[in-house]
Amino acid sequence: MADPRGFITTPRKVAERRPVEERVNDWKEVYPGGPGRALLPIITEQAGRCMDCGIPFCHSGCPLGNLIPEWNDLVWREDWDEALDRLHATNNFPEFTGRLCPAPCETACVVGINRDAVTIKNVEVSIIDKAWDDRQVRPEPPEWLTGKTVAVVGSGPAGLAAAQQLTRAGHTVAVYERDDKPGGLLRYGIPEFKMEKLQVDRRIDQMQREGTVFRTGVQVGDTLTGHQLRDRYDAVVLAIGATVRRDLPVPGRELAGIHQAMEFLPQANRVALGEEVEDQIVATDKDVIIIGGGDTGADCLGTSVRQGARSITQLEIMPNPGTDRPETQPWPTYPMIYRVSSAHEEAGDRVYSISTKEFLGEDGHVSGLRLVEVEMVDGTFEEVEGSERVVPAQLVLFAMGFTGPEQEGLVDQLGVELDERGNVKRDRRYMSSVDGVFVAGDAGRGQSLIVWAIAEGRSAAAGVDAYLSGSTNLPAPIPPNARPLTV
Ligand SMILES: Cc1cc2nc3c(=O)[nH]c(=O)nc-3n(C[C@H](O)[C@H](O)[C@H](O)COP(=O)(O)OP(=O)(O)OC[C@H]3O[C@@H](n4cnc5c(N)ncnc54)[C@H](O)[C@@H]3O)c2cc1C
Ligand code: SF4
């Protein structure tokens, strides 16, 4: 056990972010030198706050089943090598989750019942960042090859996790990606200030050294058809994400200056890394309205700040959830509460219970939005009489989520069945309705989180390994129907 009295004597402490006025002038991560380095002076003491409660609910909160009390104890004892070993036992990419996960483990932490939860996510990122700094993260190539081949389509966290597990199990794995570089939303969705792309690049390098081959710039379903892929490989993993974007078809939608977040963010990410982008959508000197209150909206906000927007407003149709856990979402569930991300500290107004009736325009370009306040009556939104107003906007960004995977092309060609929500249907082994075609991540689960995508990638890899080899020793942290903790 870590410090026996740590949870009583040591208050919860987190790393300080760089001052807002400094960080909005660059694209680097908001912690000085990255979160791991910023946390190093305090993290041993913080890990000591783990009370070794006996039934660690944090394990159930984390879809990967991370061995949290074990590595808390090891960090407290400063046994960093063993801590890294235990961390990698359940998570291929802790530097992604340690930066980006909303940490459902912490809302399930037993200390959190009547005190501040252990800073689990910070311990996680400290272990892995220190390991990279100390050159302790090395390739782990297989000792022998099975002679079986696997194609993974999509290189987001689900595809990467599946590919790494299968390569290490001795299969010959090729990852197909339509973008010019691998990483999925980790690379072109999530901005630098949340996670620098160095983190993705060095994992790809590790994977290549282990034997995984990356074929980028290939839209599978186009030049290479689904049938060709199925013929060439012994198994296929679809990790194509849920990329169909939700739209807002109200009058004026056709005006210029109204874009999807995933049109705006990838361009900004490229430019932040020194690439040139023709006709870039920019927020500079504009009144920006972001429709949607989640992670994607916050990423648009932080990006607009750094591009020099005149004003930024984030609209959310749901009411403000407040800062306290609702009674209906008790410990150990992950409650819907008002959260302040690093981007929210930097600028912008958040407006709740508001709906867009119309986009207004001048000379074919958006100039404003007609808004109305709404309230929930018997499960539906009703307009509040007399609450209409017009706000100026020269750039509108949709961050309203995604409805599922693209069907046209690969999914249609393979003929895989979809579930009632339009996601690719799979059985307990993560196999779709087509023999030898597996599915992992948002493509099967619907829009979700990085930690779930990694857990799905690992689990699908176990399904593929058993299919190819007759049995498997690979871990499968979650069944396909696993869901977050609820009451
Ligand atoms: C802007 C944004 C910010 C987010 N921030 C967070 C966050 O902070 N924390 C968090 O936990 N989650 C976050 N999420 C959610 C998280 O990124 C996703 O849940 C996760 O990336 C899903 O992983 P995936 O591997 O299933 O799919 P993706 O990451 O979407 O990867 C799918 C890949 O498949 C490729 N592909 C699709 N079709 C084909 C084809 N036919 N041929 C070849 N390649 C193909 C795509 O180009 C893409 O690279 C965010 C999402 C967005 C959009
Ligand atoms: S992956 Fe997420 S839920 Fe799991 S330990 Fe890390 S921060 Fe917690």
Side-chain angles (χ1 to χ4, degrees), residues 157-429:
L160 293 181
Q164 186 166 61
Q165 292 293 93
L166 289 165
T167 300
R168 288 178 175 178
H171 305 300
T172 301
V173 181
V175 178
Y176 286 86
E177 170 55 57
R178 65 184 171 195
D179 276 330
D180 56 339
K181 288 184 185 157
L185 289 171
L186 297 168
R187 185 178 294 280
Y188 289 124
I190 288 155
E192 282 286 284
F193 57 82
K194 267 171 59 180
M195 184 175 77
E196 290 173 20
K197 300 310 162 235
L198 154 82
Q199 304 298 336
V200 183
D201 290 338
R202 57 190 181 186
R203 272 299 171 185
I204 302 296
D205 181 58
Q206 182 203 34
M207 291 178 67
Q208 285 172 326
R209 285 167 195 267
E210 289 169 351
T212 305
V213 172
F214 288 89
R215 302 205 187 288
T216 52
V218 183
Q219 166 90 38
V220 184
D222 197 351
T223 41
L224 177 67
T225 67
H227 302 297
Q228 287 167 331
L229 195 73
R230 190 64 202 93
D231 287 345
R232 280 187 207 173
Y233 291 89
D234 296 313
V236 171
V237 180
L238 297 179
I240 55 177
T243 48
V244 179
R245 304 143 184 180
R246 196 165 278 124
D247 213 287
L248 188 58
V250 299
R253 170 63 184 91
E254 71 290 348
L255 292 163
I258 303 174
H259 300 277
Q260 288 282 352
M262 279 307 291
E263 293 167 348
F264 173 68
L265 292 172
Q267 292 186 343
N269 265 329
R270 287 180 188 278
V271 171
L273 290 172
E275 282 183 47
E276 282 190 16
V277 169
E278 258 179 58
D279 300 325
Q280 189 195 353
I281 304 159
V282 283
T284 317
D285 297 331
K286 292 178 184 160
D287 299 300
V288 180
I289 299 278
I290 301 162
I291 303 184
D295 276 336
T296 308
D299 291 350
C300 290
L301 197 162
T303 302
S304 299
V305 177
R306 283 162 181 74
Q307 290 183 349
R310 180 165 45 227
S311 74
I312 311 169
T313 310
Q314 202 177 354
L315 308 182
E316 173 57 58
I317 195 165
M318 298 299 288
N320 186 333
T323 50
D324 294 330
R325 240 186 213 279
E327 272 179 23
T328 50
Q329 298 168 42
W331 179 92
T333 63
Y334 186 78
M336 294 295 293
I337 55 170
Y338 181 87
R339 293 186 166 86
V340 181
S341 72
S342 71
H344 292 124
E345 288 173 352
E346 293 163 0
D349 293 322
R350 284 196 265 181
V351 182
Y352 289 88
S353 300
I354 198 93
S355 176
T356 305
K357 289 193 85 170
E358 184 183 1
F359 297 109
L360 308 170
E362 277 170 27
D363 302 328
H365 199 286
V366 68
S367 61
L369 279 73
R370 187 182 307 284
L371 303 176
V372 67
E373 287 173 26
V374 291
E375 58 188 4
M376 187 85 87
V377 180
D378 296 332
T380 53
F381 291 108
E382 287 198 1
E383 294 183 8
V384 176
E385 219 175 293
S387 68
E388 261 192 33
R389 60 182 187 264
V390 170
V391 293
Q394 299 81 45
L395 176 64
V396 177
L397 299 169
F398 289 168
M400 298 178 296
F402 302 84
T403 56
E406 290 162 35
Q407 292 171 26
E408 209 179 303
L410 179 60
V411 167
D412 277 349
Q413 288 168 9
L414 288 170
V416 291
E417 263 181 56
L418 303 177
D419 65 19
E420 63 287 352
R421 308 177 96 183
N423 302 316
V424 181
K425 207 169 169 180
R426 62 267 177 94
D427 65 15
R428 284 192 63 76
R429 299 165 296 171

Side-chain angles (χ1 to χ4, degrees), residues 58 61-66 68 71 91 97-98 101-106 120-121 124 451:
C58 54
C62 173
L64 286 161
N66 273 348
I68 296 161
W71 35 259
N91 189 353
T97 45
C101 186
C105 54
E106 293 187 16
I120 299 169
K121 171 174 158 172
E124 179 177 37
V451 63

